[in-house]
C-alpha cells in the first residue's frame, strides 16, 4: 500500500502543508502481532536508555517504525521550512507526566529497508535505530495530566534536532527514496506498572483521523 498525500492545506499564502500517512508501520518487539493488522504502535525502553547498545539484544526494548512514500512530494517544492509528526495516544496513559518528562518519546532516523508484508523480528538486528543522539529529529512528552477518558495528541517538531531532518528529507526526496522514522523511548514499564508504555494508534486503526501523520511545510521553489 502506497503512502497517501492526504491534503495540501494552505496555512500561509506562501507555505502549504502536505500531509502524508505511512505506507508501512511496525511494532518492533519479539511478541508483536501481525504488523499489517495491529491498530497500535507501542514504545518503551529500559533504565539503560531508549535503544540497545550496538551488538546487544533488543528484546528488552519496544520500538515502532514508520515508513513514508515520498513519490507524491517529488513534483512539489523541496524548500522544507517545517515538519511535524502527529500521533494519537490512547486514553488514560499508565504513566505520569513526570515519568514522561524523564523519558520522552523520541523520533529518530531509520533505514527504510523494511516492509510490513515480509517483516521478521530477526531483521531488527540489521534495521535497528542508532543509539547516537544525533539521530534524534525531535522529542515529545505527555505534558499535563490528560483528562480522564481522553486520547492525547502528540505533535513532535522534527526540525528541533539535534538530527538534521531537513537534510535527511532532501536527500530522500531528491533520490526518490522512501523515508523512515523510528519511535523510541527510555520509558521503563517497571517504573510505573506493567502498562507504563507509550501506545499510539497505527495506520491500521479503523479511524483515519487517529492514524499517524507526517506534516511537511514547504515554500514554493
Amino acid at each position: 500500500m502506497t503512502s497517501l498525500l492526504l491534503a495540501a492545506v494552505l496555512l500561509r499564502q506562501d507555505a502549504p502543508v502536505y500531509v502524508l500517512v505511512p505506507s508501512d508501520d511496525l511494532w518492533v518487539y519479539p511478541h508483536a502481532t501481525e504488523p499489517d493488522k495491529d491498530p497500535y504502535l507501542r514504545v518503551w525502553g529500559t533504565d539503560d536508555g531508549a535503544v540497545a547498545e550496538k551488538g546487544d539484544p533488543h528484546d528488552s526494548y519496544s520500538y515502532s517504525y514508520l515508513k513514508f512514500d515520498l513519490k507524491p512530494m517529488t513534483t512539489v517544492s523541496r524548500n522544507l521550512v517545517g515538519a511535524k509528526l502527529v500521533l494519537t495516544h490512547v486514553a488514560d496513559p499508565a504513566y505520569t507526566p513526570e515519568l514522561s518528562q524523564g523519558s520522552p518519546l523520541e523520533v529518530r532516523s531509520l533505514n527504510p529497508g523494511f516492509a510490513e508484508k515480509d517483516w521478521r523480528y530477526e531483521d531488527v538486528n540489521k534495521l535497528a535505530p542508532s543509539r547516537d543522539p544525533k539521530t534524534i529529529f525531535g522529542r515529545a512528552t505527555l505534558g499535563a495530566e490528560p483528562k480522564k477518558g481522553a486520547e492525547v495528541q502528540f505533535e513532535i517538531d522534527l526540525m528541533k534536532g539535534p538530527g538534521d531532518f531537513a537534510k535527511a528529507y532532501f536527500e530522500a526526496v531528491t533520490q526518490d527514496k522512501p523515508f523512515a522514522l523510528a519511535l523510541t523511548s527510555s520509558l521503563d514499564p517497571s517504573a510505573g506498572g506493567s502498562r507504563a508504555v507509550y501506545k499510539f494508534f497505527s495506520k491500521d486503526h479503523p479511524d483515519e483521523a487517529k492514524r499517524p501523520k507526517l506534516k511537511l511545510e514547504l515554500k514554493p521553489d
Side-chain angles (χ1 to χ4, degrees):
M1 181 173 64
T2 59
S3 192
L4 299 176
L5 186 61
L6 293 181
V9 183
L10 198 62
L11 296 186
R12 297 202 308 265
Q13 189 173 0
D14 61 343
V17 173
Y18 297 85
V19 183
L20 300 172
V21 295
S23 60
D24 300 75
D25 59 15
L26 305 169
W27 174 29
V28 181
Y29 187 64
H31 306 295
T33 56
E34 295 179 67
D36 59 342
K37 297 178 182 178
D38 194 336
Y40 301 107
L41 301 170
R42 304 158 180 86
V43 185
W44 68 81
T46 72
D47 58 7
D48 188 46
V51 178
E53 291 276 9
K54 189 173 182 179
D56 285 351
H58 297 268
D59 53 4
S60 294
Y61 299 81
S62 172
Y63 315 131
S64 285
Y65 295 174
L66 304 98
K67 184 164 71 172
F68 297 88
D69 180 3
L70 296 185
K71 287 186 183 299
M73 306 305 299
T74 58
T75 58
V76 300
S77 167
R78 295 170 185 174
N79 296 326
L80 186 72
V81 295
K84 292 181 178 180
L85 180 66
V86 180
L87 304 168
T88 302
H89 197 289
V90 299
D92 305 322
Y95 54 88
T96 64
E98 290 75 21
L99 278 174
S100 182
Q101 287 288 337
S103 298
L105 177 74
E106 303 166 345
V107 182
R108 296 176 183 256
S109 61
L110 184 69
N111 184 327
F114 65 89
E116 285 183 347
K117 60 182 177 62
D118 57 8
W119 171 257
R120 301 176 306 158
Y121 179 73
E122 294 75 15
D123 294 338
V124 71
N125 295 313
K126 60 182 178 180
L127 288 169
S130 169
R131 194 178 172 102
D132 188 343
K134 293 181 180 178
T135 64
I136 299 173
F137 293 135
R139 300 178 175 91
T141 63
L142 181 62
E145 190 73 40
K147 185 178 178 180
K148 187 72 173 176
E151 293 160 357
V152 185
Q153 188 171 92
F154 278 55
E155 191 170 273
I156 305 100
D157 185 349
L158 302 178
M159 305 292 276
K160 281 197 168 182
D164 191 339
F165 180 89
K167 179 182 178 182
Y169 170 79
F170 182 82
E171 290 176 352
V173 77
T174 54
Q175 297 174 35
D176 196 15
K177 292 183 177 180
F179 195 82
L181 299 169
L183 306 181
T184 66
S185 178
S186 62
L187 184 65
D188 188 341
S190 65
S194 61
R195 292 181 58 247
V197 304
Y198 290 108
K199 187 175 181 180
F200 303 97
F201 297 116
S202 78
K203 74 171 186 59
D204 299 298
H205 194 277
D207 187 343
E208 293 184 10
K210 298 178 182 180
R211 297 172 185 172
K213 297 175 182 65
L214 179 61
K215 295 186 175 182
L216 302 171
E217 186 178 2
L218 300 112
K219 285 188 176 181
D221 292 325

